[in-house]
Structure formats: C-alpha cells, structure tokens
C-alpha cells in the first residue's frame, strides 16, 4: 500500500464479506471480497478472517476499522444493539460499539429496530446503505427499496427512518424453488431475465390479486403439467409473483411519498427495476455497493474526525 | 375374511396408502393404512405393495379394486388422465382406466384438470372425496375446502365442479418452518393449537392484508428477536398466516355460495374449522376419510354393478 490509509470499512453480511481501505482524500486504496460472511466467521473466527484480509492488502497495523451488518448480531462478533425507529440516520455512528481486547480500533455500527407489537422488524447493514443513499434524495418523504434475501422497504422522511418492512422474498424464492413440488418445474438454477414477459405478467397478477399468492405459486406446477410451461418461464413466474407481492405490500403501507428509490445492484437490481417500471413506477436507482461504502465512510469520518 | 368381499377400494396419495375391503352390504370388512404412498411405491413397485396388503387381509384372489389419487399420475402406476372442468362428478367412474397385465380387475380413477391459461389447476384424489361428499350438500352452489399439503377449494354447482383453486399452504408451512430463518423461532415441530389466540390473530391479519404476506412471515422472526415470541406462538402465527391467506384468496374467487363445506379430518380439520369460524363463517364439516371411502364406493358400484 503506497498511500497512507485513513480507515478500513467492512460490510459483513450473513454470507458475504467486503472490505475497503480508504485514504484521507476518500479514495479507495484497496478492496477485498469473499464469501466469509457471519455464517462462516462464526466458526472460523471473525478476528482471524479480518486479519487475513487486512494482511493481504498490507494495511497499517493500527488502521481503525468500521463495520456494518451481521457482525453486530447477537450470534455475530460483538452485539451492536439497535437504534429504535423513528431513527435519525446521523445518530447511527454515535451508537457504534467497540470490539474489546483487540489490537486496533474496531467499531461495529448498530442496526435498526421497529419495536411495534403488531409489526416488529429489524435490519442490520441496510441502515448503513441508507446513511450513504439518503443525502442524495433531498428532503421530503421517500420510499426506499433494498432488495435481497430479506428485502427492506424503508419509509424515509428527510434523514429520519419513520418505519420499515421486511419481506422474505429472496429466501422464499430459494426454498420454494429447491424444496417444494415446484422444483420439478424449475430446471437449472439459471438467472431470471428481467425483460421476460412471464416475469412481468406474474408481477402484475400478484399485485392485482395478492390474496391468491399461494394459489399462483401452484399454478406454476399446474402450468407445467397442462400447458408445458418452460423451466425459464416457471422461474420467471415464481420470481415475478414474489416480487409483485412484495411491491403490493410495500406500496399499501407507504402513504404519500415523493418517489421510490431503489438501492440495489446486479441482476436483482435489474429485476426490481423492471418490476417497478412494469407497474408504472419510475424508481431512482442507487448502486448498493456505492451506498454502503458511502455510509461506512460517513460513519468513519464522524467517529475519527481528521 | 369370513364374509364375502364385493370390491376393494384404495386411496393412494403421494405419501399415504389406505385400503378398504367392502362387502356387498357396503360394510367395511377390513382396512389397511400405511405410509407407502406414490413416493415409496414408485421405487418398491405398486403391484407388490398392493398385493402385500391384500394378502394381509386374505382378500379373495379375484376381488376387483378401485383406486383414486396419485397412483394415476404420470409418475404413478398407470396414468389415468383428467376430466376437464366444468366436470360432472358422476362422469368420473366412467373415465377410470384399467391397469393392464395384472391378475385382477384394477381401475384407477382420473383426476380433474382446469385447462385455463390464466389459472391452470389439477387435482388427484380430491375429486373422489367430492364424489363422496357432494350428495350430502343438496343443490345450489357450494364452496368446498379440502385442506392439505396442497389445499383445494372447489366451486361446486349441484354435482358439477365449475372450477377450483389449489393453495400450497401445507407444503409452504413445512418448508418455511424447516428451511428458512424462521426455523430458529419454531422450536420443536409440535402441533399448532386450534384455539391459540396467536393463530386466530394471524388468520385475521393475513385475511385483512394479504399483500403483506411475506412481511408477516418475517415478523415471526422479528417478534422472536424483539418481543420474545414463544416457539408455540411462532408456529401458530406461521400456520395462521398461511391459512388466513388461503381463505382470503378462496373467498374472493368464490362468488355467491349457499355455504362452505369443510372436508377434512384430525388436527388440520380442527385448525381450518377454527380459522373459518374466527372469520365469521359457519362451515359444514364432512370427515375426509368417510368422504373418500363413499366416493370410491360410488365409483365401484357404477363400474361393477351387483
């Protein structure tokens, strides 16, 4: 590493790990990505994994590091608690906890909790994406969609999180396509085409009749038996139904908003953009990788001012 | 077997096998039950399993047998095809197919198919329960609920099946409770109490806001983290949400009906009765075991008149 690092930043999720070394001018000096998420780290050791990645990029010995995500869960490295909604995003860095008994300054950012008896909800990691994305939205109320294994839809007012809702879309797609009778209709686990008519049709059907969700799922199997539905269309229909149902639910709870912001990346981002556009929405697109790095950087500059 | 058998009747599902030997006076002379459903029989052989059960009750060598269910599926013993909706129940026995190259007269009843591009659907086995249950309903339009791994809701007009909808409720309960993050909240796979307030509450929530289905699922996990939701209540909530969603979907597609008939048995019957009653419905209850035996008997008497 030729230039001097200012801090390191890590997004440590359930199944993925990403690390950046950031210079005083905000530039990315080095980057690491791996599949050593919390699930792996809980066995192999968080400290060992982090040290190996820091050593690989020859990070300075005393470089401080800020971390978001599942490393702060109860079953993670060190529990980082939750900020409660309504939550000011700017208050997140001040609630970071320090990992004890380590040879560098390591802080883990808290998650957000909605302690509502009827609609309890939690997030870890997405609050940091929000911190990075919110300053580009301007004021007013916005609905922010962060798709994933557990998609988050956040009702943001200025830089305050009023509330949010998690939808199990990604995880349901996975278990339904692998562990139910629909597995026979799915074929190879190939990517769903965002421009597939079968996808858009399923999005519309689920949005229109969400109460038929578990019936629409079975129609994938029946469509294979009676109408020779192809494996690609079966996958597109399953994906479209689950995403359409999620959008139907998120929109009904949103109230009046300035617009929808989609914080996503890659294929999942393309699918959600296509689904939202097919329903007549015009989401603003923010790259999720950029957002989390900007959020971690905002936290680092507050914790360790230059 | 002291009295003379008239015919044998079998309900051969995906994971269960039931056989009755029926006398000329309609009495049950012998009964067998096992877990040797289609999944087992596809490997062990349908003929061998059937012969073993017939031998165990000392059935006469040339006793004819009528079978309904997955034995007639493409991947079953001998494909028995489908009657198409609208379908007269009385037409089912005439469409039975004979199993070739066997030493007794073995007939498998067809399933029902709804060849609708938007709402394709299929059933195998439930059509025979309907045949057994329909004569007790009188005329008019009825909505018949048959809960299970793949619950069927049938729109019956007199003795004609106008259409039907399958909901993947039972299978989803199983995969969600075993293979998703909710498994951490579920505890031991104990039965859900039909009179649990958590169950009734979830039924009502899903009926009221079906578009939030996949969000309500995640609230089970968040409720465990934030509100110490018990494992028993977590199971009750998951079950109630899926059943409430199913009822919401089935009711919206039913149109105007004389009433709801619940064809079920055991714990599942108690759960659906409780869910329907908590939503203000007063279902007529028909025991599913009785219904399928009556349906098979009606078919046998048409195929082999005395």
């Amino acid at each position: 590493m030729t230039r001097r690092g200012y801090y390191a930043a890590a997004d440590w999720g359930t199944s993925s790990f990403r690390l950046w070394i950031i210079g005083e001018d905000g530039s990315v000096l080095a980057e690491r990505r791996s599949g050593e998420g919390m699930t792996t780290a809980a066995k192999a050791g968080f400290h060992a994994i982090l040290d190996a990645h820091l050593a690989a990029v020859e990070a300075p010995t005393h470089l401080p590091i800020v971390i978001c995500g599942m490393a702060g869960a109860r079953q993670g490295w060190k529990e980082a608690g939750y900020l409660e909604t309504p939550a000011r995003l700017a208050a997140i860095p001040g609630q970071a906890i320090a990992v004890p008994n380590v040879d560098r300054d390591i802080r883990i950012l808290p998650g957000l909790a909605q302690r509502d008896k009827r609609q309890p909800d939690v997030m870890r990691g997405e609050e940091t994406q929000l911190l990075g994305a919110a300053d580009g939205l301007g004021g007013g109320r916005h609905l922010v969609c962060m798709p994933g294994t557990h998609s988050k839809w956040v009702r943001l007012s200025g830089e305050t999180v009023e509330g949010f809702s998690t939808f199990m879309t990604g995880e349901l797609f996975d278990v339904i396509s692998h562990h139910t009778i629909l597995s026979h209709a799915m074929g190879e686990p190939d990517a769903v085409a965002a421009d597939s008519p079968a996808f858009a049709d399923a999005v519309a059907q689920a949005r229109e009749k969400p109460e038929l969700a578990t019936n629409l799922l079975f129609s994938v199997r029946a469509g294979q038996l009676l109408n020779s539905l192809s494996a690609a269309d079966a996958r597109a229909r399953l994906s479209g139904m689950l995403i359409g149902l999620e959008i139907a639910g998120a929109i009904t709870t949103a109230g009046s908003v300035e617009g929808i912001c989609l914080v996503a990346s890659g294929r999942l981002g393309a699918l959600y953009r296509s689904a939202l556009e097919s329903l007549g929405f015009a989401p603003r697109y923010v790259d999720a990788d950029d957002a989390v790095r900007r959020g971690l950087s905002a936290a680092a500059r507050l914790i360790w001012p230059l």
Side-chain angles (χ1 to χ4, degrees), chain A:
Chain A
M1 185 169 298
T2 52
R3 282 185 292 168
R4 188 174 152 224
Y6 174 11
Y7 56 87
D11 178 10
W12 211 327
T14 302
S15 57
S16 70
F17 171 86
R18 284 175 300 177
L19 174 77
W20 298 273
I21 309 295
I22 308 292
E24 288 192 358
D25 62 354
S27 59
V28 175
L29 305 182
E31 180 175 350
R32 302 281 296 176
R33 288 168 183 259
S34 88
E36 294 154 307
M38 180 188 67
T39 309
T40 304
K43 294 170 196 148
F46 287 87
H47 201 175
I49 288 172
L50 183 61
D51 273 353
H53 284 284
L54 290 169
V57 296
E58 298 172 18
T61 312
H62 296 294
L63 193 72
I65 174 161
V66 61
I67 301 173
C68 72
M70 295 302 284
R74 200 172 302 166
Q75 65 275 44
W77 192 354
K78 164 80 183 161
E79 189 171 6
Y82 299 106
L83 249 69
E84 302 198 6
T85 57
R88 283 175 48 249
L89 293 173
I92 291 171
Q95 299 294 316
I97 59 101
V99 177
N101 310 317
V102 285
D103 50 4
R104 68 175 80 229
D105 190 355
I106 303 177
R107 313 283 181 106
I108 305 181
L109 300 177
L112 296 188
Q114 180 168 284
R115 290 186 191 276
D116 175 317
K117 273 281 172 200
R118 298 295 292 169
Q119 298 175 309
D121 219 322
V122 291
M123 67 166 67
R124 277 204 187 277
E126 293 89 354
E127 74 295 324
T128 306
Q129 287 182 35
L130 281 171
L131 183 61
D135 60 357
L137 294 180
R141 293 189 78 243
H142 292 268
L143 187 58
V144 183
C145 168
M146 296 184 282
T149 301
H150 298 154
S151 294
K152 310 288 179 184
W153 285 75
V154 180
R155 298 175 288 283
L156 199 62
S157 180
E159 300 212 348
T160 298
V161 174
E162 293 180 353
F164 61 96
S165 306
T166 301
F167 296 80
M168 285 179 57
T169 305
E171 189 168 19
L172 287 173
F173 180 85
D174 187 60
V175 298
I176 291 170
S177 57
H178 285 101
H179 297 293
T180 72
I181 197 168
L182 298 201
S183 63
H184 302 299
M186 291 291 148
E188 292 301 304
D190 209 8
V192 172
D195 59 356
S196 146
F199 175 77
D201 185 60
V203 168
Q205 269 192 294
R207 170 94 199 278
E208 194 187 335
K209 293 197 184 292
E211 66 275 14
L212 288 179
T214 60
N215 167 239
L216 291 172
L217 293 179
F218 188 77
S219 75
V220 172
R221 171 63 171 164
Q224 182 209 17
L225 289 173
L226 300 182
N227 304 330
S228 304
L229 185 73
S230 73
D233 281 354
R235 287 191 300 273
R237 282 193 63 77
L238 175 59
S239 174
M241 279 167 196
L242 290 169
I243 293 175
L245 182 63
E246 173 185 331
I247 294 173
I251 297 297
T252 57
T253 50
S256 162
V257 295
E258 312 268 321
I260 296 176
C261 176
L262 178 58
V263 180
S265 58
R267 287 175 171 173
L268 206 55
L271 280 180
Y272 274 74
R273 176 139 64 176
S274 168
L276 285 163
E277 288 177 353
S278 76
L279 294 174
F281 300 104
R284 178 192 302 216
Y285 194 89
V286 174
D287 183 82
D289 279 10
D290 290 350
V292 77
R293 211 176 61 236
R294 282 207 304 274
L296 285 163
S297 293
R301 284 166 192 277
L302 275 165
I303 298 171
W304 305 293
L306 274 176

